[in-house]
Amino acid sequence: MNVYKPNKDKWREELHLALEREEFCLLYQPKLNLKTGKLCGVEALIRWEHPEQGIISPLDFIPAAEETGMILPIGEWVLREACMQNIAWQEQGLSCMIVAVNLSAPQLYQSDLAEKVQSILDESGLAPEYLELEITESMTMDVHSVLPVLHQLKQMGVRISMDDFGTGFSSLYHLKEFPIDSIKIDRSFVRNCTNDSKDATIVKTIIAMAHQLKLEVIAEGVETNEQMEYLCARDCYLMQGYFFSRPMPAEDIAKKYFL
């Protein structure tokens, strides 16, 4: 992917045009249940196909989108596109599954976020239980602003997942107070869980704690057979990562897992 670093005004103009010209696309990374051997969901990941620069990494344009305010319309586009795709899969007769969408901090701090999500669900026809919104610990530090929004989403039937778990602050408090359905073990712990005793202990503890709290736990960034076996041996069967699949276009999900 190319590194593209124009100034702020140029970023705003380019991102606005990218939305207008439909230069963004979504790829989907499978989430697998190793206990059943089946696909249990996908995570929607945005990519930008710039007409001159080629593929631009989200690591470059998402911070720029947040800085310029374009993250709100882009985030809304991602949510709508992911919901519409999930409905398209269902209409093809594929098994119903959950599509996960990452929320940005500016999106989460919108007081009318729940209304926007409900509007997109109504527009797409997707049942709320097939949508999961992923947030990070760092986004939830302003508890008084975030907690009411999360409760609204939860009451709608939408699933809430805590992404990058273990890398932020007040993790235990969040697990106790927030209406969370699942936690994702951060890839930085998974990467070394088979050769670093501290990372191994952290991964094992997170899995055990999630089970005790009746939360689903998924390991992200699984890249080797050894990591997979370590996680399964500790009763973590939900995984995603390059060991299983890179993010892929929607049509490839249908071909690989359903046809």
Side-chain angles (χ1 to χ4, degrees):
M1 292 186 183
N2 291 331
V3 176
Y4 184 51
K5 295 185 177 180
N7 61 38
K8 183 176 179 179
D9 290 339
K10 184 65 172 175
W11 265 126
R12 184 183 292 108
E13 178 186 350
E14 289 271 15
L15 291 167
H16 181 76
L17 286 173
L19 267 181
E20 279 191 351
R21 296 172 179 172
E22 299 182 349
E23 294 170 5
F24 294 117
C25 67
L26 291 184
L27 298 181
Y28 298 88
Q29 186 169 36
K31 296 181 179 182
L32 299 177
N33 184 329
L34 273 294
K35 208 167 193 177
T36 64
K38 295 183 179 179
L39 182 73
C40 59
V42 293
E43 179 179 358
L45 299 166
I46 189 171
R47 297 292 185 266
W48 182 6
E49 299 176 347
H50 194 283
E52 297 171 358
Q53 300 296 325
I55 302 296
I56 300 177
S57 169
L59 296 176
D60 292 324
F61 74 80
I62 292 299
E66 292 182 348
E67 184 181 0
T68 59
M70 284 300 297
I71 194 64
L72 294 180
I74 291 173
E76 191 168 325
W77 176 86
V78 170
L79 187 60
R80 180 176 291 105
E81 187 75 7
C83 289
M84 297 294 284
Q85 181 57 61
N86 206 356
I87 280 292
W89 280 323
Q90 292 181 17
E91 290 176 346
Q92 291 175 45
L94 308 183
S95 301
C96 294
M97 62 180 175
I98 297 167
V99 62
V101 175
N102 294 281
L103 287 184
S104 66
Q107 284 178 285
L108 187 58
Y109 285 112
Q110 294 178 103
S111 59
D112 62 344
L113 175 62
E115 287 83 353
K116 289 180 182 295
V117 172
Q118 185 63 63
S119 176
I120 289 173
L121 289 172
D122 292 342
E123 178 186 345
S124 65
L126 184 67
E129 60 264 31
Y130 298 122
L131 173 64
E132 183 171 80
L133 299 177
E134 294 192 3
I135 61 174
T136 62
E137 290 179 68
S138 60
M139 289 163 51
T140 60
M141 296 310 295
D142 185 353
V143 176
H144 295 296
S145 297
V146 171
L147 194 55
V149 176
L150 292 180
H151 278 301
Q152 285 180 307
L153 292 167
K154 184 66 176 174
Q155 288 167 5
M156 288 163 47
V158 173
R159 291 174 53 87
I160 308 294
S161 175
M162 181 72 77
D163 197 7
D164 301 336
F165 186 78
T167 61
F169 301 98
S170 304
S171 303
L172 299 180
Y173 176 80
H174 289 143
L175 292 186
K176 175 176 177 288
E177 296 295 332
F178 283 62
I180 297 167
D181 297 285
S182 65
I183 57 177
K184 296 180 75 174
I185 307 173
D186 187 69
R187 66 185 66 245
S188 63
F189 301 125
V190 173
R191 183 183 303 119
N192 297 313
C193 68
T194 58
N195 53 37
D196 184 291
S197 61
K198 291 183 179 179
D199 283 332
T201 299
I202 290 171
V203 169
K204 182 172 63 175
T205 302
I206 292 174
I207 295 170
M209 182 172 58
H211 289 326
Q212 288 293 320
L213 293 172
K214 310 300 183 187
L215 298 173
E216 284 189 353
V217 58
I218 181 168
E220 59 180 348
V222 179
E223 297 182 352
T224 69
N225 186 67
E226 290 75 19
Q227 292 166 355
M228 180 191 71
E229 290 181 345
Y230 178 89
L231 293 160
C232 286
R234 283 147 188 86
D235 295 329
C236 177
Y237 298 102
L238 304 181
M239 304 181 201
Q240 70 181 99
Y242 285 1
F243 180 69
F244 308 105
S245 175
R246 290 177 176 270
M248 62 180 71
E251 57 268 23
D252 290 350
I253 290 283
K255 291 176 184 175
K256 182 172 181 178
Y257 292 99
F258 296 106
L259 300 181

